[in-house]
Amino acid sequence: MPTPTKGPRLGGSPAHERIMLANMSAQLFEHKSITTTLTRAKRLRPHAERLITIAKKGDLPARRKVQGIIAAKSRTNKSIVHELFTVIAPAMAERNGGYTRITKIGNRQGDNAPMAVIELVMEPVSGKQAVVREAEQAAASAPAAAPVEETPVEVVDPAATEEVTVAESEETAAEIDGAVATTEDGSAPEGATIKGNASSKKYHVPGSRWYDQTTAEVWFSTVEEAKAAGFEPAGGEAAQKMA
């Protein structure tokens, strides 16, 4: 007789062991719980859980495979296969394993063999797992969020904060159509309130975000004049819109 490759064999031969495991699996699926020796319970557990995993597929090939293992020659066991596919497998749908539970109940009188109860874990998954599952389902079913357009952040040009002499301003203004040079005290010339910075080619209107921080190299009377000279609104049109 060949020696089993792993663990003790149940019964006298491999065929006998397969029959015993098939019968115990059928009893477990029928009654949801059986009492047996601890050794048999440990050998039954992976066998029964494998059958449940196959049954969770729910298709005809899976049903034929399970029926060939536990109900090949038993008409009674065919009803148990139906129970496995219609009741037990759906109850285990949310579990990824651990379909059975073994509980030790002491030793048997007479031969002092350790006994155990092996049962199907039919309880629903824990509340924490259910919350995680619902969150995953909600995330999967939620429509894709529209991409958020990031508003570009305009940084004040360092050159726009440097002091500008009247001579430098007059020289720059002479080269730009419509530009007016700054005054001695740096204030706006009469009729020209729009600041322009020649190095960055940006203009700033009164009340805009960087107006007070900017030192004007040249001034313009209107936005149109600044644009005609090739200047652009600092931070975009919305940031430099005249009230």
Side-chain angles (χ1 to χ4, degrees), residues 210-227:
W210 303 285
Y211 188 82
D212 294 334
Q213 305 173 36
T214 302
T215 301
E217 292 185 59
V218 292
W219 296 81
F220 295 96
S221 300
T222 63
V223 170
E224 288 72 17
E225 289 182 351
K227 290 183 177 180

Side-chain angles (χ1 to χ4, degrees), residues 223-241:
V223 170
E224 288 72 17
E225 289 182 351
K227 290 183 177 180
F231 285 68
E232 297 179 354
E237 293 287 350
Q240 302 297 330
K241 187 176 181 180

Side-chain angles (χ1 to χ4, degrees), residues 37 44 57 61 70 72 75 89 92 97 111 121 130 143 172 175 198 225 243:
T37 62
L44 173 61
K57 297 179 181 179
I70 66 173
R75 183 173 299 176
M92 305 291 186
D111 60 0
V121 182
T172 303
E175 298 175 353
E225 289 182 351

Side-chain angles (χ1 to χ4, degrees), residues 152-156 202 209-210 233-236:
V153 178
E154 182 76 17
V155 180
V156 178
K202 301 288 186 180
R209 179 177 177 183
W210 303 285

